[in-house]
Amino acid sequence: MSHPDVSEASEVKPQDGIAPPPGQRGRRPLGLRLDLRNLSLLGVLAVLVVVGGITKPDQFLDTGNLQLVLTQASVIGVVTVGMTFVIISGGIDLSVGAIVALASVWATTVATQEYGFAGILFTAVIVGTACGLVNGVLVAYGRLVPFIATLAMLASARGLALQITGGRTQIVTVDSVLDLGIPDAYVLGIPPLVLVFALVTVVGWLLLNRTTFGRRTVAVGGNAEAARLAGIDVRRQRLYLYLLSGLCCGIAAFMLIVLSGSGQNTNGNLYELDAIAAAIIGGTLLTGGRGTVVGSVLGVLVFTTITNIFALNNLQSDVQQIAKGAIIVAAVLVQRRTVRDEHV
């Protein structure tokens, strides 16, 4: 029987030195609940597909539109995978959108583009990872509250991105990068960016559910002091998590460069809110200690599909934001109910 896509304090292996809470020994109702949550999200996604098919059948169900939905979900989806790990550990990263912007403009300068495909990809990944390193050092060793540390990075990265571009759009001229976004590059009808998203999702799932790194992440989020007493280097673990988030931002920045064919200081706008929202409705607790990569990915697909349906039906963006806000509130209320039931 396969394990559910969930990591939690009660599932930490004995060798990690952390015992499950007394009320949770010998039973796994939480895993069942989270499986039901994922099934519920699949149900919501199915309903949205039906709604889109009914309201705009010729447009929504068109292969090109479905490829577009998946491609748009891929960029924010990669960011959300990294964000999920950070939130599970009890942290938060408000700088992901700004990091994507900085990595995208740094990777598309004239000097960088002279090094071709490899130069653009390498620069985007390195810039994203470096920003994650700064966040990790400030949070883990500088003992800054994650909200403050990443808020400072948000402001700094946005400012630096604006300084690099001077407010202008940097057009990509490297054909090998642009070619990844055209239909001829699709593999069996699947855009390359979607394949990258799928790969990141699989790696993230394995990392969270099948490795000591994942169990330590959950332990730190569940009870950092207990994790420390069990022999886990909490500060180093938090550093690694922000590095992972920065790496995901760098990958997403390159994907956005392929998708838009340019680098702009406005790239990644509100990505932090979208990533947090997707993780929340996917079952990740803001207080840490619990999360699921599959749930977060389903959350991304739900939001992206809603946006696409609204756009096809010519509904204004403010209506989209209201709908997203309502979904987030509903998800948090469900989380609170779930946590309360666990303590009964």
Side-chain angles (χ1 to χ4, degrees):
M1 179 178 180
S2 61
H3 295 282
D5 180 34
V6 55
S7 292
E8 50 177 307
S10 63
E11 292 182 322
V12 177
K13 298 297 179 63
Q15 61 264 31
D16 287 326
I18 299 177
Q24 295 184 10
R25 291 191 180 100
R27 59 188 180 89
R28 299 183 62 179
L30 180 58
L32 176 60
R33 277 197 292 272
L34 284 173
D35 273 349
L36 290 176
R37 180 191 291 272
N38 288 343
L39 289 175
S40 298
L41 286 173
L42 281 173
V44 171
L45 193 57
V47 169
L48 290 173
V49 171
V50 172
V51 170
I54 293 175
T55 57
K56 292 289 182 179
D58 295 334
Q59 295 173 277
F60 181 79
L61 297 178
D62 180 73
T63 302
N65 183 65
L66 295 179
Q67 290 172 334
L68 175 63
V69 170
L70 291 176
T71 301
Q72 292 176 334
S74 297
V75 180
I76 184 62
V78 170
V79 174
T80 301
V81 171
M83 179 70 80
T84 300
F85 276 85
V86 172
I87 297 179
I88 290 174
S89 72
I92 199 73
D93 192 347
L94 300 179
S95 65
V96 291
I99 294 175
V100 168
L102 178 59
S104 69
V105 300
W106 206 321
T108 54
T109 60
V110 174
T112 302
Q113 291 194 51
E114 291 179 355
Y115 293 93
F117 183 99
I120 294 176
L121 175 59
F122 177 80
T123 302
V125 171
I126 288 298
V127 171
T129 305
C131 290
L133 175 62
V134 173
N135 280 337
V137 169
L138 291 176
V139 172
Y141 296 96
R143 298 185 182 278
L144 287 182
V145 177
F147 180 90
I148 300 300
T150 57
L151 186 62
M153 175 58 74
L154 183 157
S156 301
R158 282 288 178 195
L160 185 53
L162 178 59
Q163 186 178 53
I164 291 175
T165 62
R168 296 184 297 272
T169 299
Q170 298 178 164
I171 304 299
V172 176
T173 59
V174 180
D175 292 336
S176 56
V177 173
L178 298 175
D179 288 345
L180 289 178
I182 63 177
D184 289 343
Y186 291 4
V187 179
L188 300 177
I190 303 175
L193 299 188
V194 178
L195 296 176
V196 172
F197 177 33
L199 177 61
V200 171
T201 299
V202 171
V203 172
W205 186 90
L206 291 173
L207 193 62
L208 181 61
N209 295 279
R210 293 293 184 268
T211 67
T212 301
F213 179 87
R215 295 195 294 273
R216 288 175 177 173
T217 298
V218 175
V220 169
N223 189 324
E225 180 61 20
R228 185 187 66 82
L229 293 175
I232 297 175
D233 190 330
V234 175
R235 291 188 297 179
R236 184 172 61 186
Q237 185 70 19
R238 285 174 173 161
L239 174 63
Y240 289 161
L241 289 166
Y242 281 98
L243 274 172
L244 177 61
S245 180
L247 172 62
C248 288
C249 288
I251 295 172
F254 180 77
M255 295 169 68
L256 194 56
I257 290 171
V258 172
L259 187 61
S260 64
S262 65
Q264 305 175 53
N265 64 283
T266 56
N267 281 344
N269 188 36
L270 297 181
Y271 271 21
E272 56 277 356
L273 299 183
D274 289 341
I276 293 171
I280 290 174
I281 72 169
T284 301
L285 286 182
L286 277 174
T287 52
R290 183 184 311 152
T292 159
V293 171
V294 170
S296 296
V297 170
L298 290 174
V300 170
L301 293 174
V302 166
F303 277 138
T304 307
T305 304
I306 290 175
T307 300
N308 182 260
I309 292 174
F310 281 16
L312 291 178
N313 286 277
N314 297 318
L315 295 177
Q316 297 180 353
S317 59
D318 55 350
V319 179
Q320 299 178 29
Q321 298 304 322
I322 292 172
K324 287 183 178 181
I327 293 173
I328 294 171
V329 171
V332 172
L333 290 176
V334 170
Q335 281 190 355
R336 291 181 60 183
R337 176 66 179 270
T338 302
V339 173
R340 185 168 63 250
D341 290 346
E342 290 172 18
H343 291 86
V344 173

